[in-house]
Amino acid sequence: MAYNNNNNDSSPAKFITALFGARQLRREQRAANEDLGNQMDHWEDTKMKNPYAGVKNPYESMENVYEDQTVNLKQAEFEKEQSQGVKQAQQASVSIGAQEKMNQTNMLAESGRLQQLKAQGEQQRDLLEREGAKMVEQFDLNKQDKMLEFAMARKDAADTSVDAQNAAIDKFVGGAAQVGLKALTGGVL
């Protein structure tokens, strides 16, 4: 009797392997689905916060250092005491006036500088906060895209594995049916 060495795809051993393999694949599929569900829950729970939310304007609380500047009255008093005439008293008054004018000029200049710094700081703070909000929005969109990719890839892999196993079982059953029909018909089909 010659040994039949043709590789019959519908052998009973392959059918049994396909049945048990399908069981293992389904078990693996359930474990993978559970793992995917856990990973997606974890991914979904990930929160992105605006790193610039609540940024303060660093120039907001600056004070005008010249705002409370005073005139050196002692100098004027001293000059007045030293003077014997009206001219020297007038010079003392002029000295006080010059100091007051310098103080006023310094106060106005510092006030303008601080106001400009505050406006620039507020603009920068606002831009940072908007940029942070944009980052959060982009993160959320990317997160949703990833979750959809994960779910679709996992579903495709599970469907492909189960379909391949079903095809193997169907092939065996079809082959077994052909062998049965050949046996019933005496090898004539």
Side-chain angles (χ1 to χ4, degrees):
M1 176 166 30
Y3 178 73
N4 186 356
N5 197 13
N6 69 359
N7 193 358
N8 190 352
D9 285 339
S10 60
S11 72
K14 287 188 177 184
F15 176 71
I16 292 169
T17 302
L19 283 177
F20 287 110
R23 190 177 297 160
Q24 287 176 331
L25 277 177
R26 285 187 187 102
R27 198 176 307 137
E28 171 60 25
Q29 185 182 24
R30 281 190 300 272
N33 284 338
E34 183 179 340
D35 182 46
L36 177 64
N38 291 339
Q39 290 299 326
M40 289 190 60
D41 286 345
H42 178 69
W43 181 256
E44 195 172 300
D45 290 341
T46 302
K47 300 290 183 208
M48 170 71 178
K49 294 181 182 176
N50 184 344
Y52 303 115
V55 170
K56 303 290 184 210
N57 182 348
Y59 306 109
E60 184 65 35
S61 61
M62 290 185 73
E63 292 186 26
N64 187 340
V65 294
Y66 296 106
E67 188 173 1
D68 297 324
Q69 193 169 12
T70 60
V71 174
N72 187 349
L73 294 175
K74 288 188 179 189
Q75 179 183 352
E77 288 295 322
F78 177 74
E79 290 175 6
K80 189 175 177 182
E81 288 174 3
Q82 297 297 321
S83 69
Q84 297 295 324
V86 173
K87 187 175 181 181
Q88 288 176 342
Q90 286 175 343
Q91 285 178 341
S93 293
V94 168
S95 174
I96 291 172
Q99 287 181 41
E100 286 178 344
K101 183 176 181 180
M102 180 61 94
N103 288 348
Q104 188 70 18
T105 301
N106 288 342
M107 183 182 74
L108 290 174
E110 183 68 3
S111 179
R113 187 182 79 83
L114 290 177
Q115 192 171 17
Q116 183 178 5
L117 284 174
K118 284 179 185 180
Q120 288 172 343
E122 179 57 28
Q123 182 181 21
Q124 186 176 13
R125 184 205 62 77
D126 184 58
L127 288 174
L128 283 173
E129 195 167 310
R130 288 174 192 238
E131 181 65 27
K134 199 162 86 174
M135 289 169 62
V136 169
E137 183 178 344
Q138 188 61 48
F139 175 83
D140 288 341
L141 289 174
N142 291 343
K143 181 172 120 176
Q144 291 300 321
D145 285 348
K146 278 287 186 205
M147 290 175 68
L148 184 59
E149 281 179 36
F150 290 155
M152 289 171 43
R154 189 60 177 250
K155 182 185 180 317
D156 289 345
D159 290 348
T160 300
S161 295
V162 170
D163 289 346
Q165 280 302 316
N166 289 339
I169 291 170
D170 289 346
K171 189 174 186 178
F172 175 77
V173 170
Q178 282 182 350
V179 169
L181 284 174
K182 276 186 187 179
L184 287 174
T185 62
V188 180
L189 274 178

